[in-house]
Amino acid sequence: MIFANLSQGGPISSEVEKFFGLSEDMAIQRLQEEGPNELPAAKRRSSMVILAHVASEPMILLLIVAAAIYFAWGDLKEALLLCGWVFVVIGITLYQEHKTERALESLRDLTSPRALVIRDGSPKRIPGREVVREDIIVLTEGDRVPADAFLLSSLSLFADESLLTGESNPVRKGKGDGIRPIQRPGGDDLPFVYSGTLVVQGRGTAKVLSTGPRTEIGKIGKSLQTLDTENTLLQRETRRWVWILAILGISLCIIVAVVYGITRHNWLGGLLVGVTLAMSIVPEEIPVVLTVFLALGAWRISKQNVLTRRVPALETLGSTTVLCVDKTGTLTLNKMSVAKLYAQGQFCDLLGRTQEGIPEEFHEVFEFSILASQADPFDPMEKAIYLMGERFLAHTEHLHEDWKLIKEYPLAHDLLAISRVWKSPDESEFIIAAKGSPEAIADLCHLSEADQLSLSEKVQSLAQNGLRVLGVAKAHFQRPPLPGQQHDFEFQFVGLLGFEDPVRQGVPESIQECHAAGIRVVMITGDYPGTAMNIARKVGLKPADQVITGPDLDAMSDEELKRKISFINIFARVVPEQKLRIVQALKANGEIVAMTGDGVNDAPALKAAHIGIAMGGRGTDVAREAAALILVDDDFSSLVSAIRMGRRIFDNIKKAMAYILAIHVPIAGLSLIPVILQWPLVLLPVHIVFLQLIIDPACSIVFEEEPEDSDIMQRPPRNPKTPLFRKKTLSLSLLQGLGILLITLIIYRAALLLDHGEGEARALTFTTFIIANLGLIFTTRSSSQSLLRHLVSPNRTRWWISGGALVLLGLVLYLPMLRNLFHFSRLHGDDLLLCLGSGVFSVLWFEGLKIFRMDHNLIQGG
């Protein structure tokens, strides 16, 4: 029965019956020796190993140390809060580590379909993982190829190899004359089929040459195992700053504790001062800010149909300088469409046509191209023929669902055309429909030299527009027996069909927006150079007339590639290893590389890029699991939204970091200077805890909700070599902090000199500091816009934080129990006015700098 099914539409059973195949005993022995036909599982790390690795990260260690300080001081609320963040970060990391393991599992699933093999002379259906080298496999339309193999017989066999090559069109396969080593996929008439690819048309038998990790798709899987995901620039820079500040804080803590104990003979007080200073300097907000900003950014961007697999990639996306785009399925729909027709000396453009139909003279082109196609096709061009034919020929006499297929004449090496013979219920004659290359159709129709030249001109006209062209012919035959070959029919030329893989809607506009944002767009495709350049012209990718092909890449040295890749944006006929090389060359040039893709062939480059972006709809599981971001709707405009979000996240992180640095200067100064000058202590641990109630939500919520700047997509990406904290940014933060420190120290010292007492001096200083802190939040929200102008921008959380801080301050100042806990004395109305004026004045100078910058353009924000 299997042979009978295989022979339907054209005899192939005789070819299959030639082969005896392996014996079952030999197959079992080979399976034991060489292993199953699947990718070996990567060695899994235990959860404890991953946990130890995550816990050794400096940011995590800092959170743990900070939590330990709070525990030691007895502040369980803050300690438990920080411990909660530790568990959140560890949980996210553990989840992501386990998710990455699924990339290889998805690849193994793809390489293990069911397979029809010949064993002991009989066909047998087995799991793909049990296919072994030298098995004879039988392939029919719709089959997933189980292993790399050499074709022993082929009947009109076409395979979709886009997973491996990126070619949008199925490639024609030909029978080989003698078994030879496997070649790379790509191009027509190769006698090889490859694991994981799909047979879209025809039938054949093949001898397996490679299985499992030795196949072309297996090599991709092995390369995934060797690639590591890089830390982002922000991760590396903040890690360095965390270590610097942590070491500084611990060193000062020890020094101050010792000096205090020696000079004042109070070692318990020295320990208290040391702990206070450590709490004031150690910037535990930094890891909290990064976690909150990126987690909320991932949540926000999910509303734009972009899922985040590796959260830190969001920030890097905003720094992208080069976007590598896979043409098939990314710029285009990876769905063939009939764009243009030619018949009776006229062209007909189908794009944009409404449902009313096409002129009558073009109906016959669709009628006979449908008759020459499979009834339920896998081939994308045949699908396009049926789709457009049903659209324009509905309710006409040109669709023949009741006709009976009598015979099919397959493709041959010397004639690239297919003919199908039909018989209608009420006609005695046979109707023959043929389609194939224009040259083959011209040959079948025995066109004159002048007609062939004219037809060639029409074909060239269509090809120059990036269209793939098929010719259509018809013939009639009176009575059986049918002839043995297609040339025995008297064919008449019907017309031409021009196919294209349409550009996705919105892609040209998105590419222009990328250009405006200073982002280069580089097309990397397995398709032909002419097709790539045509798509480049349609989407506005420039220069559209310069291209590097895969063979060109192989002939280039790394240095030559690095030089040419700086100005050439189109790469065609590229294989997976070369995609990876292109990404690595761009990275070697100092670019921040984002890459989109949907096929298995894209996975290594997706993982090697700074940001891999997979298509969620048409993308393979392998590509999705290897990527950092996933476009759920495959919409290129969603990628632009992701870039915008990445830039906004980084801008707001800069604001939050500047605030954190600025506010820690007066905290550290108020903890350290009284010790050095032997004044009474200003800040105790309870005061630091109160400040954290303002600082933590301010830096992690207020700044996270800051709206994007209006020019965010009209400015170039952040220079990869530019640090997060530039000298000017550091200088401004330090100056802001020193300004607050100076005013608060003046208030404190003046109160002591005027004999107001320690409690009142401390209360005046602390209240002034709280007002200045709130003012710092408002003025740091923008380094360019004035405070008054920026107040109207939407950010309700700043008012909630400010109001909550003032209410808490009022409770501390006027509830006796809390006032005693904070070692304060009661303040009067004039005291509060003094604190308000002093606090506001301590940050007003920064507003003056903003005005000076706007007027003279001398001060540049970080």
Side-chain angles (χ1 to χ4, degrees):
M1 288 298 294
I2 293 175
F3 285 152
N5 291 336
L6 289 175
S7 64
Q8 184 178 2
I12 194 172
S13 60
S14 58
E15 291 289 332
V16 175
E17 289 168 349
K18 292 180 186 177
F19 307 111
F20 184 80
L22 293 176
S23 67
E24 282 293 342
D25 292 338
M26 177 62 74
I28 292 172
Q29 179 182 347
R30 189 155 292 171
L31 187 63
Q32 292 173 344
E33 292 173 353
E34 300 182 0
N37 179 35
E38 60 186 10
L39 292 181
K43 185 177 180 181
R44 288 182 173 272
R45 295 189 298 170
S46 68
S47 295
M48 291 305 297
V49 172
I50 297 174
L51 183 62
H53 173 72
V54 175
S56 67
E57 290 289 321
M59 289 186 184
I60 301 299
L61 287 175
L62 181 60
L63 282 173
I64 294 173
V65 170
I69 292 175
Y70 283 119
F71 268 123
W73 191 250
D75 186 354
L76 295 181
K77 181 179 179 181
E78 285 291 324
L80 291 175
L81 180 63
L82 289 180
C83 287
W85 281 115
V86 170
F87 288 123
V88 167
V89 174
I90 289 177
I92 291 174
T93 307
L94 284 173
Y95 176 73
Q96 297 298 338
E97 287 278 351
H98 287 303
K99 285 273 285 183
T100 56
E101 301 289 343
R102 291 176 52 193
L104 291 177
E105 292 177 5
S106 299
L107 197 53
R108 287 195 297 274
D109 292 342
L110 186 59
T111 56
S112 188
R114 300 286 293 178
L116 181 62
V117 300
I118 300 174
R119 297 267 177 90
D120 293 318
S122 300
K124 180 181 181 181
R125 186 76 66 176
I126 63 172
R129 69 186 307 275
E130 296 179 9
V131 172
V132 298
R133 184 170 53 83
E134 295 191 343
D135 252 332
I136 304 298
I137 56 176
V138 182
L139 300 171
T140 59
E141 189 173 288
D143 285 346
R144 183 75 67 178
V145 179
D148 289 2
F150 183 87
L151 281 169
L152 302 173
S153 66
S154 174
L155 186 65
S156 301
L157 186 64
F158 281 77
D160 179 356
E161 296 180 349
S162 60
L163 291 180
L164 293 172
T165 66
E167 290 186 52
S168 56
N169 300 316
V171 291
R172 184 177 60 250
K173 295 295 178 180
K175 172 185 173 182
D177 296 330
I179 295 179
R180 57 183 187 270
I182 198 82
Q183 294 178 220
R184 282 180 171 179
D188 289 322
D189 295 324
L190 284 179
F192 303 102
V193 288
Y194 302 91
S195 178
T197 61
L198 181 68
V199 177
V200 298
Q201 183 175 305
R203 298 166 292 279
T205 55
K207 187 172 187 177
V208 174
L209 300 181
S210 305
T211 60
R214 295 165 289 278
T215 61
E216 290 297 312
I217 199 172
K219 294 173 185 175
I220 296 174
K222 287 194 291 186
S223 69
L224 278 177
Q225 290 177 301
T226 62
L227 293 172
D228 293 322
T229 303
E230 295 183 6
N231 288 325
T232 68
L233 293 172
L234 186 62
Q235 286 175 310
R236 294 196 296 268
E237 192 172 350
T238 52
R239 179 179 298 181
R240 181 170 63 88
W241 274 99
V242 163
W243 274 116
I244 291 173
L245 294 175
I247 292 172
L248 176 63
I250 293 172
S251 301
L252 285 177
C253 170
I254 296 173
I255 292 171
V256 168
V258 172
V259 170
Y260 191 95
I262 292 174
T263 58
R264 304 197 185 189
H265 308 289
N266 184 352
W267 291 99
L268 184 60
L271 179 61
L272 173 65
V273 171
V275 170
T276 304
L277 184 60
M279 293 172 66
S280 67
I281 292 179
V282 174
E284 76 274 12
E285 300 93 354
I286 290 180
V288 173
V289 163
L290 289 180
T291 302
V292 170
F293 275 51
L294 295 176
L296 288 178
W299 173 72
R300 292 181 192 279
I301 208 169
S302 68
K303 296 181 178 180
Q304 304 293 328
N305 293 313
V306 180
L307 299 182
T308 307
R309 292 197 62 254
R310 289 195 291 276
V311 173
L314 271 182
E315 173 272 323
T316 310
L317 188 62
S319 305
T320 299
T321 58
V322 176
L323 177 56
C324 295
V325 182
D326 181 55
K327 177 189 74 69
T328 306
T330 306
L331 297 180
T332 66
L333 292 170
N334 195 20
K335 181 180 179 181
M336 298 302 292
S337 175
V338 183
K340 211 164 190 178
L341 302 176
Y342 172 78
Q344 299 183 27
Q346 301 179 59
F347 285 103
C348 179
D349 196 337
L350 297 182
L351 296 181
R353 278 194 174 266
T354 56
Q355 198 69 29
E356 70 266 9
I358 56 176
E360 179 67 30
E361 55 265 31
F362 295 99
H363 286 187
E364 208 174 45
V365 181
F366 272 135
E367 177 183 5
F368 281 91
S369 61
I370 290 173
L371 290 173
S373 303
Q374 296 288 333
D376 187 16
F378 282 86
D379 182 87
M381 288 198 294
E382 291 190 346
K383 285 183 178 180
I385 289 172
Y386 265 91
L387 181 65
M388 299 298 277
E390 291 176 354
R391 176 182 174 187
F392 292 118
L393 301 184
H395 312 298
T396 71
E397 71 279 8
H398 298 286
L399 295 179
H400 310 287
E401 296 180 359
D402 57 342
W403 284 19
K404 182 179 179 182
L405 178 64
I406 304 300
K407 184 180 176 67
E408 178 180 316
Y409 294 87
L411 287 171
H413 284 293
D414 57 346
L415 185 64
L416 300 179
I418 295 174
S419 294
R420 307 185 88 203
V421 181
W422 297 87
K423 190 171 184 180
S424 64
D426 55 349
E427 295 287 343
S428 59
E429 66 176 1
F430 298 100
I431 292 89
I432 303 94
K435 67 177 173 66
S437 71
E439 296 80 9
I441 294 299
D443 186 19
L444 282 178
C445 296
H446 304 292
L447 296 181
S448 66
E449 186 174 341
D451 289 339
Q452 288 189 39
L453 182 60
S454 175
L455 180 63
S456 178
E457 292 175 353
K458 305 302 186 295
V459 172
Q460 281 297 110
S461 174
L462 293 171
Q464 285 172 358
N465 291 320
L467 303 181
R468 186 172 182 181
V469 186
L470 285 183
V472 181
K474 66 177 182 179
H476 299 269
F477 197 78
Q478 293 298 323
R479 57 185 181 278
L482 292 170
Q485 57 182 357
Q486 299 180 69
H487 270 294
D488 293 331
F489 295 107
E490 293 183 6
F491 279 104
Q492 295 177 326
F493 179 76
V494 175
L496 301 172
L497 300 100
F499 296 83
E500 72 169 0
D501 185 2
V503 171
R504 285 185 175 275
Q505 186 176 5
V507 166
E509 294 81 5
S510 297
I511 287 183
Q512 290 305 310
E513 191 166 0
C514 287
H515 289 164
I519 301 171
R520 276 181 63 201
V521 180
V522 174
M523 181 198 299
I524 305 176
T525 179
D527 243 326
Y528 291 93
T531 305
M533 289 189 289
N534 182 264
I535 294 296
R537 284 190 289 270
K538 289 183 177 179
V539 301
L541 188 61
K542 299 177 181 179
D545 57 347
Q546 298 184 51
V547 62
I548 294 178
T549 66
D552 294 336
L553 272 175
D554 286 336
M556 286 183 189
S557 65
D558 288 343
E559 288 302 316
E560 185 180 5
L561 177 59
K562 285 171 61 178
R563 181 177 60 82
K564 289 191 174 181
I565 209 170
S566 63
F567 60 89
I568 293 180
N569 295 327
I570 304 174
F571 293 81
R573 303 301 291 167
V574 171
V575 297
E577 294 86 350
Q578 293 169 332
K579 291 187 177 186
L580 184 58
R581 189 181 172 201
I582 291 169
V583 170
Q584 291 170 336
L586 287 167
K587 290 169 68 176
N589 279 348
E591 305 284 3
I592 301 299
V593 183
M595 177 176 174
T596 67
D598 57 4
V600 174
N601 62 312
D602 298 319
L606 286 174
K607 193 170 182 181
H610 293 100
I611 315 104
I613 307 160
M615 297 299 161
R618 301 187 62 87
T620 61
D621 287 342
V622 180
R624 287 193 287 265
E625 296 297 334
L629 302 175
I630 299 172
L631 299 184
V632 176
D633 55 1
D634 294 0
D635 189 345
F636 196 79
S637 62
S638 297
L639 178 56
V640 178
S641 298
I643 292 174
R644 183 183 293 108
M645 177 63 70
R647 292 190 172 193
R648 172 190 167 184
I649 288 173
F650 184 76
D651 283 355
N652 290 344
I653 285 176
K654 286 196 299 182
K655 296 172 186 176
M657 294 299 180
Y659 166 74
I660 291 171
L661 287 180
I663 200 62
H664 273 276
V665 170
I667 294 176
L670 290 174
S671 301
L672 180 61
I673 291 176
V675 176
I676 296 174
L677 300 179
Q678 296 190 1
W679 296 350
L681 297 179
V682 179
L683 297 181
L684 300 173
V686 66
H687 303 132
I688 305 296
V689 171
F690 183 93
L691 289 171
Q692 293 300 321
L693 294 177
I694 303 174
I695 295 172
D696 286 346
C699 62
S700 60
I701 299 177
V702 172
F703 289 106
E704 194 282 329
E705 286 200 7
E706 281 298 292
E708 64 192 41
D709 294 335
S710 58
D711 65 341
I712 197 167
M713 292 300 285
Q714 279 78 49
R715 63 192 191 212
R718 172 197 176 198
N719 188 329
K721 297 180 181 178
T722 301
L724 176 64
F725 299 112
R726 296 191 297 175
K727 289 182 179 180
K728 290 182 179 179
T729 304
L730 283 172
S731 299
L732 286 175
S733 293
L734 291 175
L735 284 173
Q736 284 179 295
L738 289 173
I740 296 173
L741 176 61
L742 180 62
I743 294 296
T744 51
L745 284 175
I746 291 174
I747 292 291
Y748 186 58
R749 186 57 179 164
L752 291 177
L753 291 176
L754 294 174
D755 296 324
H756 285 286
E758 288 185 21
E760 186 174 349
R762 185 176 290 114
L764 285 167
T765 304
F766 190 78
T767 303
T768 301
F769 183 67
I770 294 299
I771 300 298
N773 185 9
L774 296 179
L776 184 64
I777 293 173
F778 278 80
T779 193
T780 309
R781 290 181 61 218
S782 175
S783 60
S784 59
Q785 293 183 1
S786 67
L787 178 61
L788 293 177
R789 182 178 178 184
H790 212 63
L791 284 175
V792 300
S793 62
N795 190 334
R796 289 180 297 178
T797 55
R798 62 186 171 187
W799 299 111
W800 286 104
I801 297 299
S802 300
L806 293 176
V807 168
L808 288 175
L809 179 61
L811 293 175
V812 167
L813 290 175
Y814 296 106
L815 282 182
M817 181 181 68
L818 292 178
R819 189 169 62 241
N820 293 334
L821 178 65
F822 277 72
H823 303 278
F824 287 164
S825 294
R826 184 182 178 89
L827 296 182
H828 303 286
D830 54 346
D831 296 325
L832 294 177
L833 289 175
L834 174 66
C835 294
L836 177 62
S838 301
V840 171
F841 178 76
S842 67
V843 294
L844 279 181
W845 69 270
F846 187 59
E847 291 302 307
L849 281 179
K850 289 183 187 179
I851 296 172
F852 185 72
R853 177 189 179 186
M854 287 184 286
D855 288 342
H856 301 280
N857 197 26
L858 295 178
I859 301 175
Q860 297 180 2

